[in-house]
Structures are given as C-alpha cells and as structure tokens.
Amino acid sequence: MTALATHAMPPDRAVARQSLLYIFRERTVALLAALFVVLVMVSAYLGWSATSTVNSIYNDAVVWLTAQGQPVPPNPVHDISPLSLMRNMSIYVSLIGALAAIVIGYQLIAADRKSGVVPLIGARPLERGEYLRGKIAALMAANGALMGVAAVIATATFLILPQVSLSAAGWGKLFLFFGLAYGYMVMFGLVALGMAARSRSESVGLLVPVTVWLTVTFILPSLTGNIHPTAAINPISALAPPPDTTFFHWSGWLIGPFSVAESFKWLAAGLLDYLPATAVSRSMVPPLPDFLLALILAAAFAVRSVGVMDFTRGDYDV
C-alpha cells in the first residue's frame, strides 16, 4: 500500500484513497454499479414515458371535446404529484443499490485480508481508528458517487419534462429521498464491512450480509404485511394494507421494527408522494426512528468489528 507511505496525506485519507482506487477497478462492483445506474435511467424513462403518454392522450381529447363543444376536464397529469413518477427508484435502491453497497463494504476489508497486507498495515504506525475512518470514508464516497449519479438523472428528468414542474418543497423532498436512499445503502455497506472484518471465513463474510438483505427485503415483509416476494418489488403493492387478522396485527407490531426495508419504503413513499392517505404503520417503532436506529446499529457493528479485527493475521481461515 504505497499510499500509506505518502507523508503529505493523513493516514485515514491515504487508506480511503487506496481503497477507492481498488473498488473502482473491481469488476463485480463496476457491474452492479452499472446495473444500478441503468435501472435508475429506466425509472426516469418510465416516469417520462407515462407522463408523455397521458399528456398526449389528453391533448387529443382536448381537441375532440372542443370540437364537440363539450367541457374540457383538467389534465390528469396535474392531479398527481410529479414526485410519484420516481416511485420505482425506491425499489431499485432497496434491491440493486443495497446489494452494490454490500459488495463494496465487503470488498473494502476482504481485499486487504485476501491480499495479505493486513499484517503489513498492523506493523505500520497506523492507528486502528485511522484505518476504520479511511474504510468508512471510502464506503461513503463510493455509495455517494452512485447516489449522486441517480440524483443527477432524476434532476435532469424533471428539468426536461415540460408537462410537470417541481416546487421548492418538491425539490427539497426529492433530495431528502436521495439522502434517505444513501443512508439505506450505507447501512448495508456497514454491515458487510463489519462482517468482512469479523468473519474467519471469506464466504461467510459475504453470505451473512446478503442473507440479512434478503431477510429484511423479502421474508420479514411477508410476515408483517402478507406481502408476496413478487409484490415486494412493486412500490404500490409493497404498501398494501395487511389482512385484518390477529396474526398480522401482532406480527406487524412485534416484527415491524426489524423490517427495515418496510420502514425505508414507507419513508420513501412519503417523500415521493405516493403513500396512501389512509396508510398507517403497525410497527411498535415508527418508520423514521426505526430506520435511524438500524443505521446507528450498523455503524456500531462496523466500528466494533474493525476494533476487534486481528491485524497480525492476513488471509481468512478458509
């Protein structure tokens, strides 16, 4: 790690720089990042296409109704929030975005362990906290780059759509959504980073965070809200009210706090203006505190895991 030898650069920044250079060359990360960007573009296109189609039909209807001397109803495009056009983005973040963050977080630590440089790092005058700060900074920067691209695409979509316009409050809610999505991705990245540092097995280090992701994304929503796995990838179906039974009343209240994906989708729906007016969270912990608590616990897990990481050993046991 030649970057650590750069005296003009603080150690944590050198670690972050070296880690980012590696991450940007990693093919798996590049593939997932490219897929995420493509899906964001698809989401923007779907929103643009739906709006343009409805607006075109409305314009044709206006011509016909005017010729018939009949009253012209308001444009239905104006009856829905423009932000809801981006509702599919919440699904892409919870699926591909979170998975990309897991791979990034895992590789940030696993790359050092597999290459055998961990003992060399431990032998240098580098504080464990500096190593940790560098890795977390790299994780946040890599995820920030992905979310920045998504924000640019969404912003461009609204700027080139003549049929819709966002108010100042709408722009604020849009960028709050991207802040929420960024935190969701970083949360899974922190879990993966912590497992890569704590696990003795390379496969377990990646398998555990992926299992956590699958559990909160597909399994827990089916227990708390009777949400079928295929419905979990639909932003509207994922918010459908659960059956009015004793089981789902209690499961939603007790298991709901662990279903972070539901909290994220609930908050995203509120920010993108497609949350049903009658929707009520049944969890004992409201979505926002639940999400923030999960993020704090993920950060604490990553800090603790790197704190107990053995810097005298290099590779994994298996």
Side-chain angles (χ1 to χ4, degrees), residues 90 184 197 282 314:
S90 64
Y184 189 74
R282 298 191 179 190

Side-chain angles (χ1 to χ4, degrees), residues 287-301:
L288 182 57
D290 183 51
F291 175 80
L292 294 176
L293 179 60
L295 183 58
I296 292 172
L297 290 176
F301 174 72

Side-chain angles (χ1 to χ4, degrees), residues 18-312:
Q18 183 273 338
S19 299
L20 286 173
L21 289 175
Y22 171 80
I23 285 297
F24 291 149
R25 294 194 302 263
E26 181 65 24
R27 292 184 179 180
T28 304
V29 174
L31 178 61
L32 287 172
L35 180 59
F36 177 69
V37 171
V38 168
L39 288 177
V40 169
M41 295 177 67
V42 168
S43 177
Y45 171 76
L46 290 175
W48 170 84
S49 178
T51 302
S52 297
T53 300
V54 172
N55 196 66
S56 177
I57 294 173
Y58 175 78
N59 289 334
D60 292 340
V62 167
V63 174
W64 187 85
L65 291 173
T66 302
Q68 299 296 319
Q70 299 184 22
V72 177
N75 192 334
V77 169
H78 301 151
D79 293 337
I80 61 174
S81 172
L83 290 171
S84 65
L85 301 177
M86 292 293 168
R87 58 183 177 269
N88 286 316
M89 201 168 294
S90 64
I91 298 299
Y92 299 147
V93 167
S94 66
L95 296 180
I96 303 302
L99 188 58
I102 287 173
V103 174
I104 291 172
Y106 168 77
Q107 290 288 3
L108 284 173
I109 299 294
D112 288 349
R113 295 186 65 177
K114 290 186 292 184
S115 63
V117 302
V118 170
L120 297 178
I121 296 173
R124 291 175 178 268
L126 178 67
E127 296 287 340
R128 192 178 291 260
E130 293 172 331
Y131 180 81
L132 172 65
R133 288 194 298 272
K135 292 299 182 180
I136 292 182
L139 174 70
M140 296 181 69
N143 284 281
L146 287 178
M147 197 50 57
V149 172
V152 168
I153 293 173
T155 300
T157 301
F158 283 113
L159 291 178
I160 65 176
L161 272 177
Q163 300 92 348
V164 297
S165 61
L166 287 181
S167 62
W171 284 111
K173 293 175 73 172
L174 178 64
F175 288 109
L176 280 176
F177 163 74
F178 283 112
L180 173 74
Y182 173 68
Y184 189 74
M185 290 171 58
V186 167
M187 176 182 66
F188 281 101
L190 289 168
V191 172
L193 188 150
M195 278 307 305
R198 181 179 291 267
S199 175
R200 294 184 177 182
S201 168
E202 179 182 351
S203 58
V204 171
L206 183 60
L207 181 62
V208 170
V210 170
T211 301
V212 171
W213 168 71
L214 288 172
T215 301
V216 301
T217 304
F218 297 106
I219 298 177
L220 293 184
S222 67
L223 296 176
T224 60
N226 195 34
I227 299 175
H228 194 271
T230 56
I233 61 176
N234 185 306
I236 303 301
S237 299
L239 298 172
D244 190 16
T245 63
T246 302
F247 173 81
F248 285 108
H249 278 289
W250 280 103
S251 65
W253 192 76
L254 292 173
I255 306 177
F258 301 98
S259 188
V260 186
E262 286 186 278
S263 295
F264 167 72
K265 291 175 183 178
W266 190 280
L267 294 169
L271 291 173
L272 296 182
D273 290 341
Y274 65 93
L275 182 69
T278 57
V280 178
S281 174
R282 298 191 179 190
S283 172
M284 71 169 73
V285 181
L288 182 57
D290 183 51
F291 175 80
L292 294 176
L293 179 60
L295 183 58
I296 292 172
L297 290 176
F301 174 72
V303 170
R304 176 59 180 168
S305 296
V306 176
V308 299
M309 182 176 167
D310 187 358
F311 276 77
T312 64

